[in-house]
């Protein structure tokens, strides 16, 4: 199999799997295993892709291109850059873990469920790989379709409001992006992201940014976030904050910043301000949130802000740090939500006042939650420390106060994450924590441990990503040069 | 054969059209509404024939003839509905036929 | 005296003849074929007729590279016509499949003896209306336009009321008839005025006269155009000429609604595009703006009103109004791109509209009552295939990239932008946003309710036919076809656009 | 030489990983011994390094070894690299040596705790982090170690996680250190912005604008103060005594808390370019040593007394390093590691024997039952006060002398503070001594005392105490500045003492005299008050309360930082998040639906209305056309 | 000459009478409360229209008008009216208040607009000319035009009529249906 076809395989394999699962009348168990098989195959193919990716070569790699409809210059054009490679990896790994979680907890209506999970996988990979604006938009929207049903059917008590709110919020942004895409594409004569020229139009920039800041999200566009993260089934929340949110940030990097250099510098301060606001605001609210998922939800808001800070710093360190942090935080929040799900399965709640003292007698749970939590608060030496350090060092070169704010927010991060850890694991035993509530079972370990292992590996060698995301010595120059 | 300008005929047609429209708008009896529709079609016919005279080509007259047939068909179906309604012991008052709304 | 009768290009009218002939045959069934097999016979004739029509119109498409008028300029034989006929015949075929199991008369309830009354006539009318539409899309002058309009309109009036035991059916029929005749009256008077201004009724002739005699902006002409716009606006059910739509769609038998909502729009929009661009190119500014405004109104009213409906048929009716608005955007652009956009949009749209109404029909039948958001609960789990299909159509309507609706919207916006109307793009975008709420609402009703709310046992059915549930195989086939079309049109954009381009090239753009 | 350093660094990490992976599959004792062995292996590595370094010329005693590029971006890259030079060698020896003894000690101390394995994993991890801190070959790696020791200190303070107080103390410690980390990080950002690098060399030989230099130095000082519990970031240390006593001995006395001193010595070129800031560091030390000494006077928890004395002794080290006498600061760090660990461990013996009792008012007369403990504690106390020939004497006095060597007005202020500190040290140390050990055992003691198989503790506990007692006695003889100073010479290539801070012998002599007299005076006063009761403690209720409230630092921070933050957040959530951010979407939705029902109203169901709309529409279009044509 | 002018006057008189009776009867159609009278009034309207067709030299159409309309359509009306029985209903009544106002406004607007349009046009292209062939409007001529120029229209009307008949049968003539 030649390398280029890997790109398309990664997109269409899970979608084919979804259709297969919908068609085949299999038992729940068989369906789950089949879905798991597909998502593991995805991981395998991605490893193959990463192995074949040539980091010493510039420009797009493993590109495939076929005209979709020519009269408007729209083509099915997919390929990977360094940073998209990492995000695809994050996607397939996280989705595999979450699919496994769904299998482990035995979701009912399994055929629908697993089909949608696979569909989501394909769509998300598509977002990170597509190199044509309309294809990008198509996948960007396609992610919503399974999410809407996944939250609405398998979610919590207030799932319906949550899911409608989520979809309409995000569509509000992305539809404006569609308008912007139409205008950009017809002006440029092509919708191709690689050949497309840069544009100086501030309106188009804003049109794109609206979609991305809602998806990421940045303050104050996160109205959908708390409900969605609380009401969705844990594995879906994991995907949402771990992977889907990254699509918005990826969009900022790949489209908003790369294609609109002048507007970017014009609105830089504004966006940086929004990002910083998201960082501080999210950290503060996470610090006062009263439940497990609430903390993680608002911390994801803060993290989105941090990453946006790095992206819009527009400096070498900023870009590298942002990509690194995207991957790191993706793994972190995925594992955190999965652990949250495990806790809720045992105690039926995520409310702090009902939890506590779970560390005693549950070493695996304690160790994993402790490890992930500590990595997520960016203790020096961890992957997320590396990411945040680069981001803040990068934005420092823009103006010192951004990194001052960031540093302050990191202290806040320590406060809310330690609060989370001790509220769940430490002090007196919570009223809902029964002795029978077991430690993590092997099945759950098999899902979370690989993610944590990945995090530890990144902690040992963050340069593995930070130095392999953009070709050349200066990421800023690479971005400016359209990744050529 | 000199006589009033074509414009006068068309004007009459216009007025007739307006009267027919008014009839449809202010009458509740299905039958009268159908009659008013006939008036509107006839207004169209008059205009067509007058203008056919003006351009003295046949299209207008043929059009008018065809319209007569059409009018007849509409009446046929319309009256059929009236009969059906009547057989269902329903009022022929169009205002009472408002089960479907909103 | 010798009479030089006009030469008739029989083949050029092949589709129309096929359908009309089939219609007559079906009518004969009503008297010649015993009741026991009448439904089967009539349905088979109808299917055969539509298939023949399909084949012929495809053949016509291939064979009519250079479009021209036939039979003394009464009819256009070109690819625009042929493609429209292909779409119409396709819908007709699907309608036949659904109708075989559904129409007329679930309204007549359990009285089996009378379910098959007028079944033959129904198919005859279906074929007749289809014939009328296939003629309508090719109409070459104002007279044939008016006549063919009445042709299928009258057939539709009767079809709406064919469940004449139901008051709502009669009400729908009467409303449709009266409002329709009023619209026809306006159209007629408008044609008269245009005729008066130019002295001819053939589309091309009008344009020539206007050009040669500098009639642009002539009082009669513009007044006539205005009245014609109103008359056609009624047929497309575009606001503010839309008011009849929800009521008629709700009252008519659902199969008929499916047929109307998809086929009528195809015919009306294609004809309108041809008429405006062929006959009135010089007043493009006027009707362009008019249709833009009408489009905006339709988008606004259709979507807003749909938000607060409970009855699914009404929701879909309003959604069809809003989609008329989308397609009118393409029409108002009046460019070659607009023509392509319109032609493309119609394919997934009609598939989705037909499919969704067909699904409603199935639900209606198993419940025996009108379908509302409440009694739709659990449908998705009870009828997996139909549920998924509905899910599909709803997301497709909403413009999510699950079907061709997405590309259609994109094309329409592109046409509007090329025409320099960014504001129209924004309007469309906002309308889409609003529409999400009710489309998602239907999906929510189908899937996201607790199972206790299930209406019937999965696989079960409220016995229309007394015994076991009807398998409704044909309906599933039809829905599957609609699904295939709306899904396939997402991937097969290029070929479809090629067809549309050739079709549009027949128009003087 | 580098081999030794790697071995030294990785052995404890290996221990941690081994224990974690084995989990509950190995007996507790096994875990304990794995940890102990790993740390002693590390000590072996340190010795190896030291010996190799010994054999080299002073100029060539510094070597950097890189494993791989840890973090890289653009033209900035920081390797995973170790720097071995005299300074780090000393620290390696202290950390792994004292650490080894303390881990050994905790085998006995932690015996019977049902989460022993976790304890030993943590403590081995701490040793690893501390070694990473002192061996780190560039500023980034130093920061990594810096953060990791903070982390392990958090883990160990909160080891008994059912105790809310312990968890709170752990969080407090971590957050305050995170603040220090943040200021250091900011300092590093400045360096990166200027030099695109965090290598020691690149940043030590570069000359930045004085503002930049001062900011960098301030940032580093913030980190140092947080880690070493210097004012104003000192409040976490006393609470940290919630942790097990060996932890207090190792982390909060011997090694981690003194890292600030190491940092100043390590980055002295930066500080020297920002001399003002360096002197501020010295001032901080001076202030802290007084304040801590005063607070120690009124504490009743045996470990807290020692904790405050730790703060005060680190104050001395800061003073020394601040004025530029890095070697003296480091030397005091060394001796302090011996005697303070000794004090904590003897206190631990007492606590262990009294089943966890820590209130010195209940301990009277313990010495009768625990003679070994008693004498060892006395050694530590004398070393602490700085009575010759015990180690404290040699190191402390030279620091005060260097202050005098400055000769400037602030130099003399520092000098006075040093002397006063010596007096306070004598006072609070022997207050402790007289309250706990001499005299008849109190009923409480008799009731709760239990020995360990007839001994005062398990041999694993007694042996380290003995060794440290020896070291606390002789450790200081390594250098007596007026006469011989091998330690200073050894450190010279890494951290050359500033000329201005090099005291003359006379200064050395009279300073020594003064400190010893002050110390003895303190001891005498303690004897008079707590042993003979000839002098009564002055009531001075205000001052007493002030000291008991530790000068109200906690209350201050609570009121200035924590409470406002909480109020702000609650306000944001109530006034902004819920009503605005979360509600806007639904509100818009409501409005839309309202519009919908409005539109719906025109659909009256009346046929004539429909016709009316059609007619009106037609009329409208006609009118529009007639106008627009 | 005089005859001609007299002919002119005569034409004018006939026209005026026809026009007024046409409009008058139209008004009557929509204002009688009894549909039966309305139907009768329609006959008058059709008749006067037929006269105008004659003036416009459309003999055949005039004849057809009388035959088809007066002879067929209206008769059909009358039958149905007799069948469903008299149903009295006064104009301007019922419906929401704004319905009536809107009705007048809309219908009035249409009327005025078109009349204005006619007026604007009358000065221009709608000037009268009398040079029209003698054959114009004769049945033979009409037949020729029908079969030569507008064959399809002819066919279509037949189809439409058939459909309408079928529809009428389905809707109107259902036996044993009254359930």
């Amino acid at each position: 199999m030649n390398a280029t076809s890997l790109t398309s395989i990664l997109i269409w394999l899970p979608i084919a799997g979804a259709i297969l699962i919908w068609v085949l009348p299999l038992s729940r168990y068989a369906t789950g295993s089949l879905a798991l098989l597909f998502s593991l195959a995805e991981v395998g193919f991605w490893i193959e892709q990463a192995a074949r990716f040539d980091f010493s070569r510039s420009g797009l790699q493993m590109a495939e291109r076929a005209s979709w409809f020519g009269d408007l210059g729209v083509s099915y054009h997919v390929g990977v850059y360094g940073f998209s490679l990492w995000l695809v990896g994050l996607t397939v790994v996280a989705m595999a873990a979450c699919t496994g979680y769904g299998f482990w907890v035995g979701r009912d209506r399994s055929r629908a469920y697993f089909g949608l999970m696979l569909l989501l996988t394909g769509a998300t990979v598509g977002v990170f790989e597509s190199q044509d604006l309309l294809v990008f938009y198509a996948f960007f929207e396609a992610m919503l379709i399974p999410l809407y049903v996944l939250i609405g059917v398998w979610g919590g008590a207030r799932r319906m409001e949550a899911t409608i709110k989520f979809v309409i919020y995000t569509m509000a942004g992305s539809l404006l992006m569609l308008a912007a895409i139409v205008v950009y594409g017809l002006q440029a004569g092509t919708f191709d992201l690689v050949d497309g020229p840069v544009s100086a139009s501030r309106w188009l920039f804003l049109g794109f940014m609206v979609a991305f800041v809602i998806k990421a999200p940045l303050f104050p566009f996160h109205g959908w976030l708390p409900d969605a993260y609380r009401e969705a089934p844990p594995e879906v929340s994991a995907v949402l904050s771990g992977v889907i949110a990254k699509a918005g940030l990826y969009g900022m990097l790949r489209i908003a910043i790369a294609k609109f250099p002048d507007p970017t510098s014009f609105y830089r301060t504004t966006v940086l301000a929004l990002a910083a606001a998201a960082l501080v605001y999210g950290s503060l609210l996470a610090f006062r949130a009263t439940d497990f998922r609430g903390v993680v939800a608002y911390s994801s808001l803060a993290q989105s802000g941090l990453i946006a800070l790095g992206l819009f710093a527009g400096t070498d360190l900023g870009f590298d740090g942002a990509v690194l942090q995207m991957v790191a935080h993706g793994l972190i929040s995925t594992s955190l939500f999965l652990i949250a799900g495990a806790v809720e399965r045992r105690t039926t709640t995520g409310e702090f006042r009902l939890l506590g003292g779970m560390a005693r007698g549950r070493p695996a749970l304690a160790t994993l939650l402790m490890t992930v939590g500590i990595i997520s608060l960016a203790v020096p030496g961890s992957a997320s420390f590396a990411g945040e350090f680069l981001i803040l060092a990068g934005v420092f070169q823009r103006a010192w106060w951004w990194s001052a704010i960031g540093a302050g927010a990191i202290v806040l991060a320590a406060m809310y994450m330690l609060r989370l850890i001790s509220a769940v694991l430490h002090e007196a035993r919570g009223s809902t924590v029964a002795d029978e509530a077991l430690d993590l079972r092997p099945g759950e370990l098999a899902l979370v441990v690989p993610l944590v292992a990945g995090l530890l590996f990144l902690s040992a060698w963050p340069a593995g990503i930070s130095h392999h995301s953009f070709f050349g010595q200066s990421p800023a120059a690479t971005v400016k040069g359209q990744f050529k | 054969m000199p006589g009033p300008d074509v414009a006068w005929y068309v004007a009459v047609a216009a007025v007739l059209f307006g009267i027919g429209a008014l009839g449809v708008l202010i009458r509740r009896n299905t039958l009268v509404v159908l009659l008013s529709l006939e008036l509107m079609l006839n207004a169209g016919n008059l205009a067509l024939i007058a203008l056919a005279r003006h351009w003295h080509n046949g299209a207008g007259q043929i059009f008018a003839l065809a319209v007569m047939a059409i009018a007849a068909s509409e009446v046929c179906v319309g009256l059929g509905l009236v009969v059906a309604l009547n057989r269902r012991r329903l009022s022929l008052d169009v205002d009472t036929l408002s089960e479907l709304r909103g | 005296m010798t009479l030089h009768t006009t030469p008739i290009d029989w083949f050029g009218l092949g589709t129309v003849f096929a359908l009309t002939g089939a219609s007559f045959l079906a009518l004969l069934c009503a008297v010649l074929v015993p009741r026991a097999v009448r439904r089967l016979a009539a349905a088979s004739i109808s299917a055969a007729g539509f298939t023949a029509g399909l084949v012929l119109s495809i053949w016509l498409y291939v064979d009519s590279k250079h479009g021209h008028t036939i039979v003394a300029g009464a009819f256009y034989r070109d690819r625009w016509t042929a493609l429209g006929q292909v779409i119409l015949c396709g819908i007709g075929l699907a309608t036949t499949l659904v109708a075989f199991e559904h129409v007329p008369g679930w309204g007549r309830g359990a009285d089996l003896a009378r379910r098959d009354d007028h079944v033959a006539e129904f198919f005859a009318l279906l074929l007749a209306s289809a014939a009328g539409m296939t003629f309508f899309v090719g109409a070459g002058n104002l007279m044939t336009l008016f006549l063919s309009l009445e042709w299928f309109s009258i057939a539709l009036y009767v079809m709406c009321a064919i469940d004449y035991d139901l008051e709502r059916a009669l009400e729908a029929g009467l409303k449709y008839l009266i409002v329709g005749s009023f619209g026809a009256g306006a159209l007629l008077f408008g044609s008269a005025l245009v005729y008066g201004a130019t002295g001819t009724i053939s589309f091309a002739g009008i344009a020539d006269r206007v050009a040669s005699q500098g009639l642009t902006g002539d009082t009669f002409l513009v007044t006539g155009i205005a009245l014609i716009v109103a008359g056609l606006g009624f047929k497309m059910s575009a606001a503010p000429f839309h008011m009849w739509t929800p009521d008629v769609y709700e009252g008519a038998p659902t199969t008929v609604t499916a047929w109307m909502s998809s086929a009528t729009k195809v015919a009306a929009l294609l004809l309108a595009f041809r008429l405006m661009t062929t006959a009135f190119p010089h007043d493009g500014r006027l009707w362009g703006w008019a249709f833009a405004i009408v489009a905006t109104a339709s988008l606004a009213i259709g979507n807003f009103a749909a938000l607060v409906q409970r009855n699914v048929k009404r929701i879909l009716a309003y959604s069809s109004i809003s989609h008329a608005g989308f397609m009118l955007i393409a029409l108002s652009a009046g460019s070659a791109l607009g023509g392509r956009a319109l032609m493309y949009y119609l394919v997934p749209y009609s598939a989705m509209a037909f499919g969704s109404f067909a699904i409603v029909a199935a639900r209606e039948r198993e419940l025996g009552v009108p379908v509302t958001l409440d009694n739709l609960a659990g449908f998705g789990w009870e009828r997996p295939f139909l549920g998924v299909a509905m899910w599909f159509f709803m997301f497709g309507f909403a413009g999510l990239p699950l079907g061709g609706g997405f590309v259609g919207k994109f094309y329409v916006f592109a046409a509007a932008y090329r025409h320099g109307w960014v504001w129209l793009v924004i309007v469309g975008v906002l309308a889409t946003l609003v529409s999400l709420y009710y489309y998602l609402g239907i999906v929510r009703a189908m899937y996201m309710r607790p199972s206790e709310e299930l209406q019937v046992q999965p696989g079960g059915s409220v016995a229309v036919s007394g015994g076991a549930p009807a398998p409704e195989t044909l309906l599933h086939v039809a829905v599957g076809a609609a699904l295939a079309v709306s899904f396939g049109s997402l991937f097969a954009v290029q070929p479809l656009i090629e067809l549309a381009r050739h079709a549009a090239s027949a128009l003087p753009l | 030489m580098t081999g030794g350093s790697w071995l030294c660094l990785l052995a404890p990490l290996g221990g941690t990983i081994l224990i974690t992976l084995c989990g509950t599959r190995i007996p507790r004792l096994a875990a304990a011994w794995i940890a102990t062995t790993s740390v002693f292996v590390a000590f072996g590595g340190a010795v190896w390094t030291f010996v190799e370094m010994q054999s080299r010329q002073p100029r060539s005693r510094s070597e950097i070894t890189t494993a791989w590029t840890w973090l890289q971006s653009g033209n900035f890259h920081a390797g995973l690299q170790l720097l071995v030079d005299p300074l780090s060698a000393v620290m390696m020896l202290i950390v792994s040596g004292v650490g080894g003894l303390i881990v050994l000690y905790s085998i006995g101390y932690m015996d019977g705790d049902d989460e022993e394995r976790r304890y030993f994993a943590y403590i081995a991890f701490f040793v690893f982090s501390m070694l990473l801190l002192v061996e780190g070959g560039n500023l980034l790696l130093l920061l990594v170690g810096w953060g990791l020791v903070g982390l392990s200190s958090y883990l160990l303070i909160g080891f008994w996680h059912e105790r809310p107080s312990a968890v709170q103390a752990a969080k407090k410690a971590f957050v305050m250190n995170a603040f220090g980390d943040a200021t250091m990080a900011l300092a590093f950002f400045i360096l990166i912005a200027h030099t695109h690098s965090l290598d020691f060399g690149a940043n030590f030989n570069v000359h930045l604008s004085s503002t930049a230099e001062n900011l960098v130095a301030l940032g580093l000082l913030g980190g140092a103060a947080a880690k070493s519990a210097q004012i104003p970031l000192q409040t976490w240390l006393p609470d940290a005594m919630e942790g097990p006593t060996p932890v207090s001995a190792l982390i909060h006395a011997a090694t981690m808390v003194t890292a600030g001193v190491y940092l100043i010595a390590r980055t002295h070129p930066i500080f020297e370019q920002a001399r003002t800031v360096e002197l501020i560091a010295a001032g901080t030390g001076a202030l802290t040593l007084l304040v801590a000494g005063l607070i120690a006077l009124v504490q009743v928890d045996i470990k807290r007394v020692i904790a405050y004395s730790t703060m005060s002794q680190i104050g001395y080290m800061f003073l020394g390093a601040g004025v530029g006498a890095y070697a003296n600061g480091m030397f005091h760090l060394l001796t302090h590691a011996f005697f303070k660990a000794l004090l904590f461990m003897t206190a631990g013996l007492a606590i262990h024997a009294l089943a966890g009792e820590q209130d010195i008012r209940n301990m009277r007369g313990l010495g009768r039952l625990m003679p070994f403990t008693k004498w060892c504690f006395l050694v530590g106390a004398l070393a602490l006060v700085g009575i010759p020939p015990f180690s404290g004497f040699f190191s402390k006095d030279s620091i005060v002398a260097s202050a005098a060597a400055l000769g400037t007005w602030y130099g003399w202020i520092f000098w006075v503070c040093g002397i006063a500190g010596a007096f306070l040290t004598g006072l609070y140390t022997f207050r402790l001594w007289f309250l706990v050990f001499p005299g008849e055992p109190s009923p409480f003691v008799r009731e709760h005392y239990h020995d360990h198989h007839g001994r005062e503790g398990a041999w694993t506990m007694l042996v380290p105490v003995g060794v440290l007692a020896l070291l606390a006695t002789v450790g200081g003889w390594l250098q007596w500045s007026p006469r011989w100073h091998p330690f200073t010479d050894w450190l010279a290539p890494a951290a050359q003492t500033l000329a201005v801070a090099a005291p003359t012998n006379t200064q050395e002599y009279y300073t020594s005299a003064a400190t010893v007299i002050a110390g003895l005076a303190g001891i005498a006063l303690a004897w008079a008050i707590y042993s003979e009761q000839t002098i009564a403690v002055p009531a001075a209720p205000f001052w007493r309360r002030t000291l008991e409230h530790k000068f109200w630092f906690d209350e201050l921070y609570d009121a200035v930082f924590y409470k406002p933050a909480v109020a702000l957040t609650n306000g944001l959530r109530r006034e902004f998040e819920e009503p605005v951010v979360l509600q806007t979407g639904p509100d818009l939705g409501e409005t839309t639906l309202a519009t919908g029902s409005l539109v719906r109203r025109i659909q009256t169901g009346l046929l004539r209305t429909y016709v009316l709309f059609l007619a009106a529409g037609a009329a409208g279009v006609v009118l529009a056309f007639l106008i627009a044509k | 000459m005089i005859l001609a002018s007299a002919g002119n006057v005569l034409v004018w008189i006939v026209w005026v009478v026809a026009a007024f009776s046409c409009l008058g009867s139209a008004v009557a159609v929509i204002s009688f409360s009894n549909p039966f009278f309305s139907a009768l009034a329609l006959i008058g309207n059709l008749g006067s229209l037929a006269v105008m067709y004659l003036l416009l030299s459309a003999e055949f159409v005039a004849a057809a008008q009388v035959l088809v309309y007066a002879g067929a359509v209206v008769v059909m009306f009358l039958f149905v009216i007799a069948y469903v029985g008299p149903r009295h209903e006064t104009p301007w009544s019922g419906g929401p208040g704004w319905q009536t106002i809107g009705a007048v406004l809309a219908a009035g607007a249409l009327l005025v607009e078109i009349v204005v349009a006619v007026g604007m046009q009358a000065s221009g292209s709608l000037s009268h000319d009398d040079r029209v062939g003698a054959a114009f409007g004769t049945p033979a001529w009409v037949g020729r035009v029908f079969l030569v120029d507008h064959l399809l229209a002819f066919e279509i009307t037949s189809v439409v009529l058939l459909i309408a008949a079928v529809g009428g049968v389905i809707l109107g003539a259902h036996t044993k249906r009254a359930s």
Side-chain angles (χ1 to χ4, degrees), chain D residues 10 21 43 156 168 225 260 357 462 476 501 512 524 534:
Chain D
L10 295 181
L21 293 186
F43 182 64
L156 285 163
Q168 287 309 325
E357 179 56 38
L462 299 183
S512 304
T534 49

Side-chain angles (χ1 to χ4, degrees), chain A residues 98 113 117 120 147 150-151 232-241 244:
Chain A
C98 295
Y113 173 85
M117 288 298 267
L120 183 56
L147 280 173
L150 282 168
I151 300 176
E235 70 275 26
V236 176
S237 308
V239 180
L240 268 177
S241 76
I244 306 295

Side-chain angles (χ1 to χ4, degrees), chain C residues 330-362:
Chain C
L331 174 50
S332 63
S335 59
L337 180 57
R340 289 207 295 278
L342 176 61
M343 192 55 102
Y344 177 86
Y345 198 115
L346 280 168
V347 174
Y349 165 75
S350 44
M352 292 187 291
F354 179 87
S356 47
F357 274 111
I359 292 168
V360 172

Side-chain angles (χ1 to χ4, degrees), chain C residues 426-448:
Chain C
I426 300 297
V427 169
V429 160
L430 296 179
T432 315
L433 185 59
V434 175
S435 73
L436 266 174
Y437 183 81
Y438 56 87
Y439 290 132
L440 296 183
I442 290 181
V443 174
R444 168 166 62 170
M446 286 194 305
Y447 285 99
M448 303 183 190

Side-chain angles (χ1 to χ4, degrees), chain A residues 259-481:
Chain A
K259 288 290 168 199
F260 299 88
D262 303 353
T264 304
S265 49
F266 179 81
Y267 288 109
R268 172 168 281 122
T269 320
T270 322
V271 182
L272 286 177
L274 283 187
L279 180 52
V280 175
Y281 187 84
S283 310
L284 283 173
L285 283 168
F287 177 54
R288 295 305 295 169
T290 58
D291 62 326
F292 197 138
R293 290 211 219 172
V295 172
V296 188
Y298 280 111
S299 78
S300 323
L301 171 61
Q303 286 293 327
S304 297
L306 186 73
I307 296 169
L309 216 51
L311 288 174
F312 276 83
T315 56
D316 298 352
L317 277 64
F319 283 123
D320 281 340
V323 177
L324 173 57
Q325 187 62 6
M326 280 195 230
V327 178
H329 177 255
L331 294 172
I332 289 169
S333 58
T334 309
S335 1
L336 276 178
F337 271 114
L338 292 185
I339 296 176
V343 169
E344 285 168 10
R345 268 169 61 76
R346 286 158 172 75
T347 63
T348 71
T349 179
E351 288 292 323
F352 286 155
R353 57 189 166 73
L354 304 176
L355 289 174
M358 293 191 83
R360 161 83 52 206
R362 302 182 186 81
L365 175 66
T367 315
L368 283 178
L369 177 53
M370 197 72 118
T371 319
V372 180
I374 280 164
I375 292 179
S376 85
L377 59 81
V379 63
S382 65
S384 53
F385 164 79
E388 296 185 7
F389 187 86
L390 284 182
I391 288 175
L392 294 179
V395 76
F396 184 93
Q397 299 169 9
R398 192 56 67 182
W400 64 270
W401 56 81
W402 299 124
S403 22
I405 296 172
I410 287 178
V411 179
L412 281 172
M415 290 169 84
Y416 65 69
M417 208 30 91
L418 295 183
R419 178 162 162 275
L420 167 70
I421 290 173
S422 56
V424 175
L425 295 178
H426 298 153
E427 303 190 5
R429 207 178 70 192
S431 53
T432 58
V433 183
D435 287 333
E436 304 73 53
L438 295 166
D439 195 1
L440 292 184
R441 315 306 306 145
E444 291 163 309
L445 287 174
L447 304 174
V448 183
V449 167
L451 298 174
V452 178
L455 276 170
L456 292 175
F457 176 77
L458 277 186
S459 308
W461 190 40
I465 284 183
S466 75
H467 189 49
H468 296 82
S469 301
F470 300 90
F471 170 78
Q473 264 314 306
S474 163
T478 316
V479 174
K480 193 167 209 50

